[in-house]
Amino acid sequence: MLQLRPNCECCNADLPPEARNARICSFECTFCEDCASGSLAGVCPNCGGELVRRPVRPAGKLDRHPASTERVFKPQGCVAPT
């Protein structure tokens, strides 16, 4: 079950469960579309994996399977791995 983390790790932008601009890697590191396609160039700065669009969980399923409320943020920002 995806955690659906609530924010971008780089810029701390809010990414609610219905956000269509959320990007994740296979480890569920979470970024907004601007950071993912901009400075990160589609590559997770944590693991080097591909960043893809996070699926949207149907609203009716959020009651039983809620999104995470734990925010992960790197105040120093993110840099794509070289």
Side-chain angles (χ1 to χ4, degrees):
M1 184 72 56
L2 290 176
Q3 293 179 351
L4 302 178
R5 294 178 186 167
N7 67 303
C8 174
E9 290 185 24
C10 290
C11 70
N12 205 29
D14 289 334
L15 296 170
E18 67 277 5
R20 297 199 178 272
N21 66 329
R23 303 293 182 260
I24 60 172
C25 71
S26 64
F27 290 98
E28 293 189 63
C29 302
T30 304
F31 306 94
C32 69
E33 182 177 28
D34 289 343
C35 290
S37 63
S39 62
L40 299 179
V43 178
C44 178
N46 302 321
C47 69
E50 178 184 19
L51 294 173
V52 298
R53 186 177 164 273
R54 181 180 75 187
V56 173
R57 184 167 298 152
K61 302 291 183 183
L62 285 169
D63 287 337
R64 186 166 177 201
H65 304 285
S68 174
T69 57
E70 181 182 344
R71 296 179 81 86
V72 177
F73 175 54
K74 298 181 173 135
Q76 73 277 13
C78 298
V79 179
T82 56

